[in-house]
Amino acid sequence: MKEKTLDILTAYKEMITVHGWNGTAATLGLTKSALEARVYEVKGSGMRVDTALLIQAYAGTSHFAQAVAAASGGVFVALPDVGAIDGDDLQAKFHELYAELGLLSQTYSAAIKDGEIDAYERAALDDIAQKMHRTMKELMATMFQVYCQPGARAPFGDGGVRP
């Protein structure tokens, strides 16, 4: 299943759709027109980050986080709930990553048969790479949540391990 990439305006509108313009505005203590002015940036107004986060929480989505990550050239990865996760679950996540790497390799091989990667093939490769990135981040977050002491950080604060 491919996740769609949202721009920030679309994210706002999709989050607001959950409870409607009037319901969302009322929850924020705004009028519908004041909310619209912020969303569409009318007459110099704009959406504050804390307001966007409130709308996101109210809508029960991660659309704003996804849109900001996409606009920044990245992806948003929600941390998994580690309630009953064990080593077998982590092993399954490794296998998922291996399968995605195999798909990337297979797609790449097919794409270069004619000596060129076209726009469609590039998008397919990029989609697979983004899925792999999400899987890797989920794997690492889960691994650290299951096996690291609370509050444990990488020795140099940048994730690097030095001799």
Side-chain angles (χ1 to χ4, degrees):
M1 176 178 84
K2 183 181 177 212
E3 294 181 27
K4 65 180 178 176
T5 303
L6 299 175
D7 62 80
I8 292 177
L9 178 59
T10 302
Y12 291 156
K13 292 191 295 188
E14 287 197 12
M15 291 185 305
I16 290 166
T17 300
V18 173
H19 296 286
W21 285 90
N22 289 325
T24 302
T27 299
L28 297 171
L30 301 171
T31 65
K32 179 183 173 192
S33 62
L35 177 59
E36 288 173 334
R38 284 169 175 77
V39 168
Y40 296 109
E41 298 179 353
V42 176
K43 295 183 182 175
S45 65
M47 183 72 69
R48 292 173 41 113
V49 171
D50 59 337
T51 304
L53 290 171
L54 283 171
I55 295 170
Q56 177 177 263
Y58 182 57
T61 72
S62 60
H63 293 342
F64 179 66
Q66 291 173 22
V68 170
S72 303
V75 294
F76 172 74
V77 179
L79 295 177
D81 179 19
V82 295
I85 292 178
D86 60 15
D88 290 338
D89 295 318
L90 286 170
Q91 202 62 29
K93 191 56 80 171
F94 271 110
H95 288 291
E96 182 181 334
L97 187 59
Y98 298 147
E100 290 166 356
L101 181 58
L103 179 61
L104 180 66
S105 177
Q106 180 182 21
T107 305
Y108 165 77
S109 294
I112 62 167
K113 279 189 178 179
D114 63 358
E116 180 181 354
I117 297 175
D118 65 27
Y120 174 79
E121 293 162 333
R122 182 178 178 151
L125 289 164
D126 190 49
D127 286 346
I128 296 166
Q130 289 213 10
K131 173 114 176 66
M132 289 177 67
H133 179 74
R134 277 191 283 283
T135 301
M136 176 66 80
K137 294 305 274 180
E138 290 171 0
L139 173 67
M140 298 303 291
T142 303
M143 183 187 320
F144 295 150
Q145 287 178 329
V146 170
Y147 291 109
C148 288
Q149 294 293 321
R153 295 256 184 236
F156 297 97
D158 61 1
V161 177
R162 293 179 178 80

